[in-house]
Amino acid sequence: MASTRLTVLTQFVKGRYICQLQRLTLQYCSKGGSSRGLREYINNEVVLFAKKNPQVVIYVRPRPYRHPRIVAEFLNGKSKVVSIKNLSQAEIRNKVEQLRDASGITRKKMKKWWHTDSPSIQGLWNPFNSLPYKN
Amino acid sequence: MVRGGSVDRSIRRAKIFALTKGFRGRRKNCYSLAVRAAHKALQHAYRGRKLKKRDMRSLWISRISNAAQEQRLPYSMFINNMARLEIQLNRKILSELAIYEPRSFQALADLARRRQNDGLLSALD
């Protein structure tokens, strides 16, 4: 988790924000009812979104007889598949904007399963702690 | 006519059943079995409270011994010199230092070694 966060931070150059979303693939079905929102989005809004966000590559793919999806690929190589089955156009717009604002870091619970009021200051003992000695 | 027991009996037995929660099989629900199981459990608890103190101390000692051996000191020498230097840290804290603050423990081991050497030198004089 820590390593992926570091790679994201290195993408920030001199404090400038770099959009972490690389590719969006909108997979729609031309006939299915669950795809209706996506079809409307594609007809009405996707070009506007693409123009506003030139850093994102957008593919629109027909995927017949299946529920609609968005596949988002990020700069750190992670991909996320979002099902947009039966969502309205506005909801799909929200989802797309959410993906555009997201980093590619896989979400993980930051829970620690232990707690201490006095954590180790010098670091926990490990076998390489004390120097080797010559007898 | 359905006859239950007296209220006193139920109250008395409820105290036993409160102790036998989680026991296996009929020992938690049937009074004659539960009584024996509860009494045995209480005996174990009594003995365990005394054993726990012994076990924890021997655990601490074995941890301190291992940590001191890493610093090339036998446990006896380490503890002896801690006492000579009037360092009031007990075995519990010493073992926790060895785990969580290894540098501090190393410093203590160096102190003990120096005191040992000084003791030898003063004996030779």
Side-chain angles (χ1 to χ4, degrees):
Chain A
M1 183 80 189
S3 57
T4 54
R5 183 149 285 163
L6 276 176
T7 57
V8 168
L9 289 175
T10 56
Q11 311 252 14
F12 283 59
V13 179
K14 284 187 191 162
R16 260 188 302 151
Y17 168 69
I18 296 176
C19 177
Q20 293 296 314
L21 181 62
Q22 204 175 13
R23 238 168 278 133
L24 270 180
T25 309
L26 307 174
Q27 294 169 343
Y28 71 98
C29 171
S30 42
K31 284 197 200 148
S34 53
S35 272
R36 183 155 56 100
L38 183 56
R39 271 179 265 133
E40 286 171 13
Y41 183 79
I42 290 168
N43 287 328
N44 299 337
E45 288 188 35
V46 79
V47 179
L48 181 64
F49 177 83
K51 283 191 182 146
K52 272 192 179 170
N53 302 281
Q55 69 277 6
V56 182
V57 180
I58 302 182
Y59 296 100
V60 176
R61 287 253 159 113
R63 203 158 166 262
Y65 304 114
R66 263 165 254 152
H67 288 303
R69 317 195 301 186
I70 303 179
V71 180
E73 284 166 75
F74 297 91
L75 285 178
N76 62 356
K78 296 260 160 65
S79 67
K80 192 169 180 204
V81 176
V82 182
S83 165
I84 40 178
K85 173 175 105 164
N86 290 324
L87 291 185
S88 68
Q89 183 183 345
E91 288 168 331
I92 290 174
R93 184 192 329 133
N94 283 336
K95 282 268 183 211
V96 169
E97 285 179 0
Q98 217 174 43
L99 288 168
R100 185 225 21 218
D101 296 335
S103 72
I105 301 173
T106 44
R107 275 192 276 178
K108 185 184 163 192
K109 275 192 180 166
M110 302 286 284
K111 263 188 183 176
K112 273 187 304 196
W113 299 106
W114 50 270
H115 167 79
T116 169
D117 289 324
S118 51
S120 166
I121 299 174
Q122 295 167 6
L124 274 174
W125 179 90
N126 61 62
F128 309 106
N129 236 332
S130 42
L131 302 163
Y133 63 99
K134 289 183 200 146
N135 234 334
Chain B
M1 130 182 137
V2 176
R3 278 186 271 192
S6 69
V7 175
D8 297 327
R9 184 169 79 177
S10 310
I11 292 172
R12 205 182 342 116
R13 291 189 171 188
K15 291 183 188 164
I16 295 292
F17 290 133
L19 293 171
T20 60
K21 287 210 191 298
F23 284 21
R24 199 168 215 225
R26 284 189 283 172
R27 289 159 14 111
K28 64 179 177 295
N29 279 329
C30 301
Y31 183 71
S32 336
L33 301 175
V35 142
R36 291 179 224 144
H39 287 161
K40 186 60 91 177
L42 288 170
Q43 287 170 12
H44 287 153
Y46 176 84
R47 188 181 51 121
R49 284 193 291 276
K50 294 166 189 321
L51 277 182
K52 182 177 176 181
K53 297 160 182 45
R54 296 183 221 165
D55 291 341
M56 290 307 283
R57 185 172 163 116
S58 87
L59 175 67
W60 298 328
I61 288 175
S62 96
R63 282 182 176 171
I64 295 168
S65 171
N66 276 303
Q69 285 296 349
E70 247 191 328
Q71 306 297 329
R72 290 95 62 202
L73 271 180
Y75 168 84
S76 53
M77 202 183 286
F78 179 72
I79 290 289
N80 191 14
N81 288 295
M82 287 287 111
R84 293 222 184 113
L85 289 164
E86 297 189 8
I87 291 173
Q88 300 296 325
L89 297 173
N90 59 6
R91 283 151 185 78
K92 178 169 95 172
I93 296 299
L94 284 173
S95 70
E96 289 191 4
L97 283 179
I99 296 169
Y100 295 108
E101 317 288 347
R103 292 276 163 259
S104 300
F105 190 87
Q106 192 173 18
L108 287 171
D110 290 339
L111 266 177
R113 200 176 300 118
R114 271 215 300 245
R115 179 65 180 78
Q116 176 77 7
N117 293 334
D118 293 347
L120 284 175
L121 286 174
S122 68
L124 288 172
D125 294 337

